[in-house]
Amino acid sequence: MFLVLDPPASAGSAAPAEEATGPVTAVSSAGRRSARRLVPYLYLLPAVALLVVWVYKPLVETFRLSVYDWNLVPTSPMTFVGGQNYADVLALPELHAALRNTLLCTGAFLVFSVVLPLVIALVARRVTGRARTVYQALIFVPFLITPVATSAVWRWLLAEEGGAITEALRSAGIEIGNVFRDPSTVIWAVIVIVGWQMLGFGVLVVSAGLAGINPDYASAASVDGAGPSTITWRITLPLLSPTLVFLALMTILLSAQWTYPVIDILTQGGPGTASTTIYYLLYQFGFRNFDAGLSAAAGTVFFVGFAVVAAVFVELSERLSFYDS
C-alpha cells in the first residue's frame, strides 16, 4: 500500500508570487529612472524661478506698460494708447542725444575694458614674485570702491578751485575749468571716472584668460625660434580671443548701465543733455516726469536694439574666437 503525498502548498504558490511581483519591480525601476531624470531639473528650479520673478515678469510688465498712459499713481487710471508712446519717444531729441552719448561711452569703454587691460596683463606677466600680486591688486582696487565714494573723490580731484588734478594742470599751463559744468567736457569726465573704476575688472578677466593658456605652446614655439612678439601675436592673442570677445560683449551691453550712478551723483544728465545716457533717460522719463508709458516704451526700444546687437555679436564671436581644443 502506497501513501501519496500532495506537494507542499508553498512550492505551488511560488510561481504565482513571482508573476505577481514582476510588474511591481518593473514599475518601481521605471519610477526610479524617472526620478533620476528629474534630479537635474530640480537643481535648476530655484534659479529658473528667480529668473522668472526678477527678469521675465518685469520684462512682460514693461511691454504691457508701454502701450498705456499712466503717471505711476496707484489711484490714477491707466489709459490705453497703443503705439503712440513709441511714436513719441522716437521723435524726442533727448533720445537722439542719449544715443549719441551712449555710443561715445561704449566706444571709449572698449579702450578701458579691453585694450588697456590686455596691455597691463601682458606687462604684468613680466613681473615675478610678490611684486606681481601687488601690481595686480593695485590695478584691481578701484573696482572695489563704491560708485558713490568714487564720485566724491573725483569731484574733489576735479574741483574748479583747489582740485588736485585741476591745480596740477593749471601749474602746467592747462586750464580745464569746471569739467562737470562744461557741455564739451562733462561726458569725457564721466568716461574717465567710470573707465578708471572698470579697468581693474578687465585686468582680472584678461589675467585669468592668460593663466588658462598652456605654456607648452610658447615653449615649443620658442624652441622653433619664435620671438616674444611672434608668440604674442600668433599664439597668445588667438588663444585669448574668447576672453576678449566676452569682455567686448559685456562692455557693449553694460556700458550705459555702468555710467548711471556716476551721472546721477555728479551731473544729473546735464548740463542740458550733455551727459545723459539711455539708462539715465529711462530714469528721467519714469521717476522725474512720472510718465511710465513713455519710459516703458523707451525701455522696450532699447531692449530690442541691444538684443539685436547681442545676437549679431554672439554670431560673430563664434567666428572670431579660437580654441585650442
Side-chain angles (χ1 to χ4, degrees):
M1 182 177 182
F2 299 95
L3 179 63
V4 179
L5 298 176
D6 293 334
S10 58
S13 60
E18 291 179 357
E19 292 176 359
T21 58
V24 174
T25 304
V27 170
S28 62
S29 298
R32 285 195 294 270
R33 285 196 297 271
S34 300
R36 283 197 296 269
R37 283 196 293 267
L38 285 176
V39 168
Y41 299 100
L42 293 177
Y43 284 124
L44 289 175
L45 186 59
V48 172
L50 292 175
L51 197 64
V52 169
V53 171
W54 295 109
V55 176
Y56 293 109
K57 186 175 184 299
L59 190 62
V60 173
E61 286 295 322
T62 301
F63 290 148
R64 189 177 70 86
L65 279 177
S66 67
V67 294
Y68 285 91
D69 183 16
W70 187 43
N71 60 5
L72 291 177
V73 178
T75 56
S76 176
M78 300 172 63
T79 306
F80 182 77
V81 295
Q84 185 60 42
N85 285 331
Y86 291 94
D88 292 342
V89 77
L90 291 175
L92 287 174
E94 291 87 350
L95 179 73
H96 304 156
L99 283 176
R100 285 195 299 271
N101 292 334
T102 302
L103 291 176
L104 180 61
C105 290
T106 302
F109 287 152
L110 286 174
V111 176
F112 284 98
S113 63
V114 180
V115 178
L116 288 180
L118 175 62
V119 174
I120 292 173
L122 289 175
V123 172
R125 298 180 72 187
R126 302 176 185 275
V127 182
T128 58
R130 290 188 175 181
R132 182 177 179 179
T133 305
V134 173
Y135 177 74
Q136 291 179 336
L138 289 176
I139 297 295
F140 186 68
V141 162
F143 182 68
L144 302 178
I145 303 174
T146 62
V148 175
T150 300
S151 302
V153 170
W154 278 92
R155 173 182 286 173
W156 171 74
L157 292 173
L158 294 172
E160 185 177 6
E161 298 295 335
I165 295 178
T166 305
E167 293 298 330
L169 293 176
R170 185 173 293 157
S171 63
I174 302 174
E175 188 67 43
I176 61 173
N178 189 340
V179 295
F180 298 120
R181 298 292 182 184
D182 189 342
S184 63
T185 59
V186 63
I187 192 64
W188 293 106
V190 172
I191 288 171
V192 169
I193 295 170
V194 179
W196 171 79
Q197 192 172 24
M198 298 307 301
L199 183 63
F201 175 74
V203 173
L204 181 68
V205 174
V206 173
S207 297
L210 288 173
I213 298 176
N214 192 338
D216 292 343
Y217 296 128
S219 300
S222 180
V223 170
D224 290 339
S229 60
T230 303
I231 293 174
T232 300
W233 284 104
R234 298 294 182 86
I235 296 176
T236 304
L237 289 183
L239 292 177
L240 196 61
S241 58
T243 302
L244 300 179
V245 169
F246 166 77
L247 275 177
L249 179 61
M250 291 296 101
T251 302
I252 292 173
L253 296 181
L254 302 178
S255 59
Q257 185 176 343
W258 294 340
T259 61
Y260 174 81
V262 174
I263 291 175
D264 189 46
I265 295 169
L266 293 178
T267 69
Q268 288 80 48
T273 57
S275 61
T276 301
T277 60
I278 55 175
Y279 272 83
Y280 200 75
L281 188 69
L282 295 179
Y283 166 75
Q284 287 180 324
F285 285 161
F287 299 102
R288 285 191 174 178
N289 302 338
F290 296 101
D291 194 334
L294 203 63
S295 179
T300 304
V301 171
F302 296 144
F303 171 77
V304 173
F306 279 117
V308 172
V309 171
V312 172
F313 211 87
V314 169
E315 180 63 25
L316 287 177
S317 67
E318 295 296 328
R319 302 179 183 180
L320 297 176
S321 299
F322 180 82
Y323 302 95
D324 60 351
S325 59

